[in-house]
Amino acid sequence: MAVFQVVRLGEEILREKALEVKKINSNIHKLLDNMAETMYAAQGVGLAAPQIGVPKRVVVLDAGDGLLELINPVIIEKSGKTVDREGCLSVPNVTGDVERAQKVVVQALNRKGELMEYEAEDLLARIFQHEIDHLDGILFVDIAKKIYRNE
């Protein structure tokens, strides 16, 4: 496994729509492993493949209950609204108040190619939404109600 440098705001790949994964193979398994190692090394709670320069619809996250690996994730249901402070490994030293759904239901493939469904609320729901936004070229600074610079 390897720790990759996280792509920063201003890099074009962060604004592109990531490509669907057509085949789950050893390259995708290696990508998942490297993304998890990179996320943990950076002390993040989520990481999308475009953040390490890979334009694929792959996300890893860990809200404290263990690693989740998502391939081609889709939010199929949202409910409630909440505003909270977010940051991003690709936008260091900046946070913002972002409105998100309080609860979400997400479908994604796992590393075995099995279709999984995740029901999440609060922090985990926020992480799902933040990382899936990355796959569509959306950053939290694009939708934040207020931005804070934390130098």
PDB file of all heavy atoms in Angstrom, residues 20 74 91 110 133:
ATOM      1  N   GLU A  20     -17.632   6.004 -13.887  1.00  0.00           N
ATOM      2  CA  GLU A  20     -18.144   4.800 -13.251  1.00  0.00           C
ATOM      3  C   GLU A  20     -17.128   3.671 -13.383  1.00  0.00           C
ATOM      4  O   GLU A  20     -16.486   3.509 -14.430  1.00  0.00           O
ATOM      5  CB  GLU A  20     -19.460   4.393 -13.933  1.00  0.00           C
ATOM      6  CG  GLU A  20     -20.119   3.204 -13.315  1.00  0.00           C
ATOM      7  CD  GLU A  20     -21.440   2.860 -13.976  1.00  0.00           C
ATOM      8  OE1 GLU A  20     -22.064   3.747 -14.587  1.00  0.00           O
ATOM      9  OE2 GLU A  20     -21.845   1.689 -13.874  1.00  0.00           O
ATOM     10  N   VAL A  74     -24.336   5.896  -4.877  1.00  0.00           N
ATOM     11  CA  VAL A  74     -25.461   6.736  -5.289  1.00  0.00           C
ATOM     12  C   VAL A  74     -26.333   6.984  -4.065  1.00  0.00           C
ATOM     13  O   VAL A  74     -26.682   6.038  -3.348  1.00  0.00           O
ATOM     14  CB  VAL A  74     -26.302   6.045  -6.383  1.00  0.00           C
ATOM     15  CG1 VAL A  74     -27.516   6.880  -6.756  1.00  0.00           C
ATOM     16  CG2 VAL A  74     -25.466   5.732  -7.606  1.00  0.00           C
ATOM     17  N   VAL A  91      -8.808  21.110   0.584  1.00  0.00           N
ATOM     18  CA  VAL A  91      -8.906  22.556   0.836  1.00  0.00           C
ATOM     19  C   VAL A  91      -8.392  22.805   2.259  1.00  0.00           C
ATOM     20  O   VAL A  91      -9.169  23.063   3.174  1.00  0.00           O
ATOM     21  CB  VAL A  91     -10.358  23.062   0.667  1.00  0.00           C
ATOM     22  CG1 VAL A  91     -10.398  24.586   0.706  1.00  0.00           C
ATOM     23  CG2 VAL A  91     -10.985  22.547  -0.622  1.00  0.00           C
ATOM     24  N   ASN A 110     -19.420  -3.042  -2.978  1.00  0.00           N
ATOM     25  CA  ASN A 110     -18.248  -3.206  -2.130  1.00  0.00           C
ATOM     26  C   ASN A 110     -17.113  -3.812  -2.974  1.00  0.00           C
ATOM     27  O   ASN A 110     -17.282  -4.018  -4.180  1.00  0.00           O
ATOM     28  CB  ASN A 110     -18.567  -4.041  -0.882  1.00  0.00           C
ATOM     29  CG  ASN A 110     -18.915  -5.490  -1.201  1.00  0.00           C
ATOM     30  OD1 ASN A 110     -18.694  -5.997  -2.299  1.00  0.00           O
ATOM     31  ND2 ASN A 110     -19.473  -6.167  -0.202  1.00  0.00           N
ATOM     32  N   ASP A 133     -20.257  14.137  -3.442  1.00  0.00           N
ATOM     33  CA  ASP A 133     -20.127  15.409  -4.166  1.00  0.00           C
ATOM     34  C   ASP A 133     -18.798  15.480  -4.913  1.00  0.00           C
ATOM     35  O   ASP A 133     -18.745  15.950  -6.049  1.00  0.00           O
ATOM     36  CB  ASP A 133     -20.228  16.609  -3.212  1.00  0.00           C
ATOM     37  CG  ASP A 133     -21.655  17.056  -2.946  1.00  0.00           C
ATOM     38  OD1 ASP A 133     -22.593  16.497  -3.555  1.00  0.00           O
ATOM     39  OD2 ASP A 133     -21.821  17.979  -2.124  1.00  0.00           O
TER      40      ASP A 133
END
